[in-house]
């Protein structure tokens, strides 16, 4: 049944695009045949940060630098039909040329990249997490993207627990709370902390909270304005300074490989120059720029309370969720050496976000969870001023 529905969605979307293409061709000038229009789909409204601050200006630059040989047609809010989890299929089957999607929405499709979502793995912040996500996608997780041309990958800046009536200051406050979860890894984290995870897309959070069906939500700061989370919650719990974030939602800009190969050489070079690590950082910076004002506004609002986990609460939560990481590493699903993936990722975090160790160094982890010393940071990485050498001994 699921396969039939999916095929129907893809067929209907493809028909819509073909009809649109015919109409455009009929109205175009003779020179229009030299123009490549990239069809881009995503799951958020057109006013969302991803489109306004990244995709729209990125498309403008593509058009300008290519001499108007590349144009974009963006389809927000799943306008072509289907649900967000189907976006990777829409790219792979050529329904659209490019899609911006959350990898975790398509559970199991990107198994290596799921390591990025493991509990208390990545630093908070869009730029910090996106730098590591890009490096991981180009090394240990590269095979996840064999069916695509990966244009960018990013972190959403990290999970924050937004609650309606209960302030979460430690694990005891999590007991019995029904919290919205964006991914299956976030669900495992919430369950391990004593809560009850409820999966749902961002658009449903505020209404479900207002009706009392759930007590709160795990969501990044950036999601608060478009989902109106601040109108239905009062408490906002985040990781403290130098603490890893509880989990992240990993988002990626995926391109159809044939669409990429069909681009004229000049257009392909322009696309390459504006994609990859630079575009990943661009997404990350847009997220950081959106996070700061939202957090500051709520922190200064007497009706809201922003809570940073203290070190004791942080360690307790890490210990409680260690089993989630251990179980993920022990799984041999798809024949992957997941323990090796975690060791590689932890080495990247140690190298690229060394400040996290100031708190996590005292956290006791299983022997299989130790950092591999074989990884070296990408040549393009520069440690922030004032931090020690990135290759020093790990926690």
């Amino acid at each position: 049944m699921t396969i039939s529905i999916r095929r129907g969605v893809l067929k209907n979307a493809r028909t819509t695009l073909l009809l649109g293409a015919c109409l455009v061709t009929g109205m175009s000038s003779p020179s229009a045949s030299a123009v490549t229009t990239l069809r881009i789909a995503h799951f958020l409204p057109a006013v969302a940060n991803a489109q306004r601050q990244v995709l729209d200006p990125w498309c403008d630059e593509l058009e300008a630098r290519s001499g108007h040989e590349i144009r974009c047609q963006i389809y927000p809010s799943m306008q072509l039909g289907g649900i967000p989890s189907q976006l990777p299929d829409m790219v792979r089957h050529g329904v659209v040329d490019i899609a911006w999607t959350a990898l975790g929405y398509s559970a199991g499709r990107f198994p290596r990249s799921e390591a990025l979502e493991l509990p208390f793995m990545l630093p908070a912040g869009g730029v910090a997490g996106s730098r590591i996500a890009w490096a991981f996608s180009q090394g240990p997780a590269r095979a996840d993207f064999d069916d695509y041309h990966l244009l960018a990958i990013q972190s959403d800046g990290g999970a924050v627990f937004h609650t309606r009536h209960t302030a979460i200051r430690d694990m005891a406050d999590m007991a019995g709370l029904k919290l919205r979860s964006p991914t299956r890894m976030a669900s495992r984290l919430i369950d391990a902390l004593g809560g009850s995870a409820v999966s749902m897309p961002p658009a449903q959070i505020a209404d479900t909270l207002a009706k009392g069906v759930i007590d709160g939500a795990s969501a990044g700061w950036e999601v608060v304005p478009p989902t109106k989370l601040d109108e239905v919650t009062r408490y906002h719990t985040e990781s403290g300074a130098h603490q890893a974030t509880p989990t992240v939602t990993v988002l990626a800009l995926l391109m159809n490989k044939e669409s990429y190969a069909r681009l004229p050489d000049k257009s392909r070079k322009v696309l390459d120059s504006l994609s990859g690590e630079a575009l990943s950082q661009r997404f990350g910076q847009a997220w950081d720029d959106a996070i700061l004002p939202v957090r500051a506004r709520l922190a200064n609002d007497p009706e809201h309370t922003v809570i940073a986990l203290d070190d004791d609460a942080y360690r307790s939560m890490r210990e409680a969720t260690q089993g989630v990481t251990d179980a993920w590493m022990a799984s041999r699903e798809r024949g992957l050496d997941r323990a090796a993936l975690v060791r590689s990722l932890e080495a990247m975090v140690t190298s690229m976000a060394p400040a996290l160790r100031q708190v996590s160094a005292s956290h006791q982890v299983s022997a299989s969870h130790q950092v591999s010393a074989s990884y070296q940071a990408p040549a393009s990485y520069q440690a922030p001023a004032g931090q020690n050498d990135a290759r020093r001994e790990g926690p």
Side-chain angles (χ1 to χ4, degrees):
M1 181 65 70
T2 301
I3 294 176
S4 298
I5 292 173
R6 177 176 294 174
R7 287 176 178 170
V9 168
L10 295 177
K11 182 179 179 181
N12 290 340
R14 188 179 289 111
T15 301
T16 300
L17 286 169
L18 287 173
L19 288 172
C22 291
L23 290 173
V24 170
T25 302
M27 299 183 339
S28 299
S29 63
S31 62
S33 59
V35 175
T36 299
T37 299
L38 298 176
R39 304 157 298 174
I40 304 174
H42 66 86
F43 59 93
L44 291 179
V47 297
N49 191 41
Q51 182 165 333
R52 287 191 301 109
Q53 302 301 327
V54 183
L55 293 177
D56 282 343
W58 180 68
C59 284
D60 290 343
E61 287 188 42
L62 282 175
E63 183 170 356
R65 293 196 190 184
S66 68
H68 304 283
E69 289 184 2
I70 300 177
R71 293 177 182 172
C72 298
Q73 177 62 55
I74 301 179
Y75 298 89
S77 301
M78 301 301 298
Q79 286 182 352
L80 298 176
I83 56 178
S85 62
Q86 295 170 337
L87 283 168
D89 278 339
M90 293 175 70
V91 174
R92 194 160 59 90
H93 293 299
V95 176
V96 294
D97 301 296
I98 297 170
W100 179 74
T101 185
L103 300 184
Y105 289 178
S106 305
R109 175 64 66 84
F110 304 93
R112 299 164 186 83
S113 301
E114 194 172 43
L116 294 163
E117 301 174 358
L118 286 168
F120 300 101
M121 178 63 72
L122 293 190
V127 169
S130 298
R131 180 187 294 120
I132 295 169
W134 176 256
F136 193 64
S137 76
Q138 298 306 290
R142 179 180 288 273
D144 277 359
F145 305 100
D146 284 348
D147 292 334
Y148 310 93
H149 179 73
L150 180 63
L151 295 171
I153 188 169
Q154 64 168 117
S155 162
D156 71 338
V160 179
F161 296 130
H162 309 272
T163 47
R164 189 172 178 83
H165 300 297
T166 304
I168 299 175
R169 291 186 168 86
D170 53 36
M171 269 193 60
D173 296 326
M174 291 281 293
L177 291 183
K178 295 180 180 179
L179 300 178
R180 174 263 180 176
S181 168
T183 65
R184 70 175 181 179
M185 189 60 70
S187 294
R188 293 169 184 170
L189 170 113
I190 291 169
D191 290 344
L193 291 176
S196 179
V198 181
S199 298
M200 70 179 65
Q204 297 177 10
I205 299 175
D207 185 57
T208 309
L209 258 167
K211 293 177 179 177
V213 178
I214 58 175
D215 302 299
S218 171
W221 283 114
E222 187 270 343
V223 172
V224 171
T227 60
K228 299 182 179 179
L229 251 176
D230 52 330
E231 297 181 11
V232 291
T233 59
R234 292 184 57 198
Y235 303 101
H236 314 273
T237 302
E238 62 181 0
S239 53
H242 307 303
Q243 295 175 357
T245 188
T247 186
V248 301
T249 297
V250 180
L251 301 126
L253 195 64
L254 306 173
M255 185 171 187
N256 179 277
K257 295 183 78 169
E258 294 182 1
S259 297
Y260 176 76
R262 283 197 299 266
L263 288 173
D265 289 343
K266 176 186 174 182
S267 296
R268 193 181 308 114
K269 289 178 180 178
V270 170
L271 181 68
D272 289 344
S273 71
L274 294 173
S275 304
E277 185 175 13
L279 184 56
S280 300
Q281 292 298 291
R282 188 171 184 168
F283 271 108
Q285 188 62 59
W287 255 243
D288 284 344
D289 292 344
I291 289 169
L292 289 175
V294 174
R295 187 191 180 284
R297 175 171 61 84
L298 295 184
N300 292 311
D301 187 332
E303 295 186 0
H304 289 266
T305 302
V306 175
I307 302 164
L309 293 174
D310 63 32
D311 288 352
D312 289 340
Y314 175 67
R315 291 191 184 97
S316 295
M317 288 185 175
R318 284 198 60 160
E319 289 167 1
T321 57
Q322 183 61 47
V324 175
T325 298
D326 289 342
W328 191 88
M329 289 192 298
S331 171
R332 301 299 297 181
E333 184 181 355
R334 299 198 180 187
L336 298 179
D337 186 347
R338 293 166 184 259
L341 287 168
V342 170
R343 288 195 296 270
S344 295
L345 178 55
E346 284 200 323
M348 291 182 179
V349 174
T350 297
S351 179
M352 302 174 75
L356 287 184
R357 288 168 295 159
Q358 296 177 16
V359 170
S360 64
S362 63
H363 176 63
Q364 299 300 312
V365 295
S366 61
S368 62
H369 200 61
Q370 298 302 309
V371 174
S372 167
S374 61
Y375 174 75
Q376 298 294 323
S380 60
Y381 171 69
Q382 296 293 323
Q387 291 182 345
N388 293 334
D389 182 74
R391 291 184 295 276
R392 65 182 180 180
E393 186 179 350

